Amino acid sequence: MKMLESIIDTIKEKFSFENKTNKYMDGRKNIGQSIFEYTYLMRLDEKEYPNHLKKAYLFKTDKKLNLRNPKTINEKIQWLKLYDNLPIKAQLTDKVLVRDWVKEKIGEQYLKPVLQICNTFEEIDFDNLPDKFIIKCNHGCKWHIVVKNKQGYLDNKIIYKLTKVQMENWLIQSFFGWSDFEIQYKNIIPKIIIEPLLIEEGRKEPEAIEIYCFNSEPKLFRKVNHSLNDKHEVSAYDENYKPIDFKIKEYEEVVNEEVDDNLKKAVELSKELCKDFKFVRVDWMTYNGQLYFEEMTFTPYSGFYNFTDKYKDWNIKLGNMLNLKGNKNGR
């Protein structure tokens, strides 16, 4: 019993924003983490955001951030954080609220099933959940718990309590405090959303489809497959579905499979979802041939793409595709 209490105390400390300093230490690691301590960032006056964002950018990239005349995609995403923070972005970043918006725009057939929506971990009705499911926070990125064997999960008291503590700590935090000024996360009301675990046999994660939209137009598309052996196969295409040599992470392997109907459908649907936005990555997934909406990602990688040397020119190429003066509707 004492060992269990010790483990729980350790996990509480690990996930407590009051104790964690969360310093950025290495340019190749933890690229999404903030260099600022959580409480400090949450209390910071918004007038100070530009100066502090410049500090974070310099620390992570060894380059000065040019907000007056940004050129690269990384610089332009930093500009969008500060000067294109539309209120609707918070709504569409919320994994619960975005569902009604997507339903109105393209129809509910592209929404993943929802098993439960709860305010606290204690509200989860495990008796009425299937054997496999995923418990997510609606207000963060990668704040989720995957359950592949419900009874085994409930019977393992240590794992159950550790994940309960983890989820409870997420629910009292803002993901904004762990990012570098991704303001759309700041005021989302935390909730729990539980979905079926939609992963096909032989895959570690569902097939992902990423539609990069610049000035209200889909311009670059990626399909990413994660196999059980941690192989990440990527297919990338331009707006004409022509294969391109493009990858983001070192471990990705460019394979450029043939364009399929789900990719084309994701592009067409994204045209409706990306209207009125200067830049957004519309994320999708597939399961048993069905296409499902995942999320609207307004600041992918928090604007800290870490391209390898071979692909570093994409930083400026993507930047050239984005016109900060407006979208196709002139906004």
Side-chain angles (χ1 to χ4, degrees):
M1 191 65 182
K2 288 184 178 180
M3 180 179 294
L4 175 59
E5 291 176 354
S6 176
I7 294 173
I8 291 175
D9 287 342
T10 300
I11 209 75
K12 281 183 177 179
E13 181 176 355
K14 179 179 179 181
F15 290 101
S16 171
F17 61 81
E18 293 178 349
N19 296 325
K20 190 173 180 182
T21 57
N22 196 20
K23 296 295 182 181
Y24 185 85
M25 299 301 294
D26 186 301
R28 288 281 178 179
K29 299 177 182 177
N30 302 323
I31 198 70
Q33 290 187 348
S34 172
I35 69 169
F36 299 107
E37 193 270 336
Y38 178 94
T39 306
Y40 176 81
L41 193 58
M42 291 298 296
R43 293 174 179 172
L44 188 65
D45 191 302
E46 291 189 9
K47 294 179 181 179
E48 296 297 321
Y49 286 1
N51 288 333
H52 281 65
L53 183 54
K54 288 179 181 179
K55 292 178 183 179
Y57 193 83
L58 178 63
F59 197 67
K60 291 188 177 187
T61 68
D62 290 325
K63 295 183 174 79
K64 290 185 178 180
L65 175 59
N66 186 346
L67 290 173
R68 289 190 176 184
N69 188 24
K71 299 291 187 182
T72 66
I73 191 63
N74 280 340
E75 287 181 322
K76 289 188 176 183
I77 290 176
Q78 308 309 323
W79 187 95
L80 290 169
K81 289 180 188 177
L82 299 173
Y83 306 120
D84 192 58
N85 187 35
L86 304 175
I88 193 174
K89 287 186 177 181
Q91 174 192 344
L92 303 188
T93 300
D94 185 323
K95 291 178 175 59
V96 173
L97 296 183
V98 72
R99 293 178 58 84
D100 287 338
W101 183 82
V102 171
K103 178 180 177 181
E104 179 182 343
K105 292 284 186 179
I106 61 174
E108 62 182 335
Q109 66 268 32
Y110 299 106
L111 292 171
K112 289 179 288 184
V114 168
L115 301 173
Q116 295 178 29
I117 296 176
C118 309
N119 294 310
T120 66
F121 191 87
E122 284 77 8
E123 290 181 12
I124 298 175
D125 182 2
F126 285 100
D127 290 339
N128 287 315
L129 290 177
D131 187 52
K132 298 179 181 180
F133 52 90
I134 183 167
I135 308 172
K136 296 181 178 180
C137 288
N138 68 316
H139 65 303
C141 177
K142 297 182 180 179
W143 284 1
H144 61 254
I145 296 167
V146 174
V147 176
K148 297 182 178 180
N149 180 338
K150 180 177 72 172
Q151 197 56 54
Y153 170 73
L154 296 175
D155 289 344
N156 191 322
K157 300 303 181 183
I158 293 178
I159 296 298
Y160 174 81
K161 289 188 177 182
L162 292 181
T163 55
K164 179 176 182 291
V165 169
Q166 182 176 2
M167 184 63 67
E168 288 172 342
N169 273 281
W170 283 334
L171 288 173
I172 59 172
Q173 299 180 51
S174 167
F175 187 76
F176 169 81
W178 296 120
S179 70
D180 283 299
F181 305 95
E182 295 182 88
I183 300 173
Q184 67 270 25
Y185 286 103
K186 188 173 183 180
N187 295 314
I188 297 175
I189 298 173
K191 290 183 180 294
I192 294 172
I193 181 169
I194 306 176
E195 301 169 350
L197 187 61
L198 304 180
I199 302 179
E200 297 171 42
E201 187 175 349
R203 296 183 186 272
K204 188 174 183 179
E205 298 177 18
E207 179 187 63
I209 299 177
E210 303 169 349
I211 309 299
Y212 283 76
C213 304
F214 299 82
N215 302 107
S216 302
E217 293 284 0
K219 295 289 186 181
L220 187 149
F221 325 133
R222 287 186 3 126
K223 289 177 59 179
V224 184
N225 286 297
H226 306 266
S227 64
L228 290 176
N229 61 1
D230 284 331
K231 191 175 182 179
H232 291 63
E233 296 182 336
V234 178
S235 301
Y237 316 88
D238 66 14
E239 60 184 314
N240 298 312
Y241 296 106
K242 180 182 177 181
I244 55 178
D245 186 17
F246 172 68
K247 72 176 188 178
I248 295 170
K249 299 177 181 178
E250 290 184 2
Y251 50 77
E252 293 179 341
E253 179 183 349
V254 178
V255 296
N256 285 343
E257 299 175 349
E258 290 187 14
V259 175
D260 60 20
D261 290 339
N262 272 331
L263 176 63
K264 292 180 178 179
K265 185 182 294 184
V267 172
E268 291 303 310
L269 294 170
S270 296
K271 288 180 181 178
E272 183 63 31
L273 299 181
C274 75
K275 289 180 178 178
D276 297 325
F277 297 111
K278 291 181 175 65
F279 176 73
V280 64
R281 194 188 73 200
V282 186
D283 294 339
W284 305 82
M285 60 158 282
T286 64
Y287 178 73
N288 287 340
Q290 173 67 40
L291 181 69
Y292 291 106
F293 169 83
E294 281 273 59
E295 58 187 298
M296 301 285 281
T297 303
F298 293 104
T299 52
Y301 300 96
S302 193
F304 292 101
Y305 281 94
N306 197 14
F307 298 108
T308 60
D309 288 341
K310 179 180 177 181
Y311 296 92
K312 64 182 180 181
D313 288 347
W314 278 100
N315 201 3
I316 191 69
K317 288 180 182 178
L318 295 178
N320 289 339
M321 296 169 69
L322 176 58
N323 175 14
L324 294 178
K325 293 182 179 180
N327 56 29
K328 70 176 183 178
N329 298 317
R331 281 188 54 186

